[in-house]
Amino acid sequence: MDARFDLFGNEVAARFAKRFAAAGLLVQQSPLPKSTQELVSLRASQINGCGHCVDMHTKEAAAAGESAVRLHLVAAWRESTVFTEAERAALALAEEGTRLADAHHGVSDETWAQVREHYDDDRTAALVCLVALINAANRLAVITRQRGGSYAPGMFAAVFD
């Protein structure tokens, strides 16, 4: 199955991608830990069935030193002992923020309280923005059938320049 559309080969899509990447750069440069950013992006991408983003965030996390054990257990984080309480709060927010249509309440008050217990205003802002961005990225990739498997860490660094 080939990609349906080259998002970087179209002028409108490429201009959008540049602005989208700039928003992503704000989150990357935030005080939210890089490992948390990758775990959250990976979990949302798993839920959304985005092979391209699962590939990207698994490899970026591994390149940044994340252990294979933790990466393999992201999908079952609730039944795992390898994540901190702060990471568990971030993963819960990622799941609830990704599955908005699956629950009438969206993000629960309990999850929000856990996030606020572990993250200050800047980290919370970055986390909320990250969940929104990764869900948008997943949709772009799934709609245009971007496939996983060929990503190399740092591959899109030029987009951020």
Side-chain angles (χ1 to χ4, degrees):
M1 172 174 43
D2 293 329
R4 289 181 168 153
F5 192 76
D6 180 2
L7 288 170
F8 296 100
N10 173 273
E11 182 181 344
V12 171
R15 287 173 47 208
F16 175 82
K18 190 86 162 167
R19 287 160 179 81
F20 192 80
L25 187 58
L26 285 171
V27 173
Q28 285 182 3
Q29 294 173 344
S30 77
L32 185 66
K34 178 71 172 159
S35 59
T36 302
Q37 292 180 36
E38 293 300 341
L39 295 172
V40 163
S41 295
L42 176 57
R43 185 62 191 128
S45 299
Q46 290 170 335
I47 292 166
N48 287 324
C50 183
H52 176 74
C53 293
V54 167
D55 184 33
M56 178 189 316
H57 294 291
T58 300
K59 289 174 180 174
E60 287 290 347
E66 190 60 69
S67 75
V69 170
R70 284 170 41 97
L71 291 174
H72 292 301
L73 289 172
V74 167
W77 65 269
R78 281 185 178 85
E79 293 79 27
S80 304
T81 60
V82 297
F83 301 104
T84 68
E85 289 302 314
E87 289 167 338
R88 296 171 73 74
L91 288 165
L93 182 72
E95 285 191 359
E96 291 178 23
T98 296
R99 293 184 163 139
L100 293 176
D102 295 346
H104 70 280
H105 64 270
V107 174
S108 70
D109 290 340
E110 177 185 350
T111 294
W112 186 254
Q114 290 171 353
V115 166
R116 296 305 290 161
E117 179 181 331
H118 296 286
Y119 297 101
D120 64 15
D121 287 352
D122 288 345
R123 287 172 180 83
T124 298
L127 185 57
V128 169
C129 292
L130 175 61
V131 171
L133 282 169
I134 191 58
N135 275 281
N138 292 161
R139 280 149 180 78
L140 287 166
V142 169
I143 289 167
T144 60
R145 284 195 185 143
Q146 305 301 307
R147 299 177 64 193
S150 63
Y151 183 80
M155 190 169 144
F156 293 129
V159 175
F160 294 110
D161 294 336

